[in-house]
Amino acid sequence: MRKRVFQGKYPIYEFELAKSESRFDSVHEIVAHLKQRVDACPEATFIATFDHAAHTAALAPEADRGEVLAASHLIFCFGFTLTTPEVMAVRPRAIAVTELADRYVINFLEAPIPRANATMIEWVGEIASSRQTHLNDLLEEALEETFPASDAIELTPPGPGR
């Protein structure tokens, strides 16, 4: 997982995973897994799935899709707080799942609440077949970016039996 700035202004988290390292065989299966995680989270509400590739193909069938074989969004909302009208501008949340020839790219816009980012990072980490190793790497890298050293928190990924 890496955190980067897209188009000079949008902070995103992005995880690239070789297809051979995924627990799932398609964008549809990955989105279904993420939806299960949203449904199981008491602080999140599922809104929709959106097949972005089908939408784009329907609008412009002749458009070049580059390397993209499939692309879908899982749209949901966390309900941690609603304190100002401005917070509405950065909601709801979406996790994008894109299939390329040899890998999946899973990304999402940084949320204003670190706990939301940590939760989404955990869900994305579960897509990897070697879940524990990938999840530890994801959490460590993302937390370094999200929290200054003085504000660091320790997140322990769920282990067997948890």
Side-chain angles (χ1 to χ4, degrees):
M1 172 83 56
R2 66 181 174 151
K3 183 177 176 185
R4 67 186 187 96
V5 177
F6 175 65
Q7 293 188 340
K9 57 185 164 186
Y10 302 106
I12 65 170
Y13 288 91
E14 187 167 84
F15 181 50
E16 291 193 20
L17 182 68
K19 287 182 176 179
S20 62
E21 295 180 9
S22 175
R23 293 176 42 210
F24 305 99
D25 295 323
S26 69
V27 165
H28 175 77
E29 287 182 15
I30 293 170
V31 170
H33 168 75
L34 293 169
K35 181 184 181 303
Q36 288 176 342
R37 297 298 279 138
V38 168
D39 289 342
C41 180
E43 297 173 317
T45 299
F46 170 75
I47 297 171
T49 58
F50 176 65
D51 186 332
H52 203 131
H55 166 73
T56 302
L59 289 176
E62 71 287 345
D64 181 15
R65 291 177 59 178
E67 299 178 73
V68 175
L69 302 177
S72 289
H73 293 275
L74 175 74
I75 305 163
F76 60 99
C77 192
F78 286 112
F80 299 126
T81 62
L82 184 57
T83 57
T84 67
E86 291 80 13
V87 77
M88 295 295 290
V90 295
R91 290 190 179 164
R93 309 301 325 146
I95 299 176
V97 182
T98 305
E99 180 182 1
L100 306 176
D102 61 342
R103 68 191 181 282
Y104 296 107
V105 178
I106 301 98
N107 49 29
F108 57 89
L109 186 65
E110 180 179 40
I113 299 173
R115 184 168 41 143
N117 293 320
T119 299
M120 291 184 287
I121 290 164
E122 179 180 345
W123 294 346
V124 169
E126 294 170 351
I127 296 164
S129 58
S130 55
R131 183 181 176 284
Q132 192 66 43
T133 300
H134 279 285
L135 186 53
N136 288 337
D137 292 345
L138 290 171
L139 288 171
E140 184 177 318
E141 291 174 24
L143 288 173
E144 286 174 12
E145 294 288 330
T146 303
F147 300 101
S150 62
D151 294 338
I153 63 170
E154 184 173 329
L155 292 179
T156 305
R162 287 193 199 171

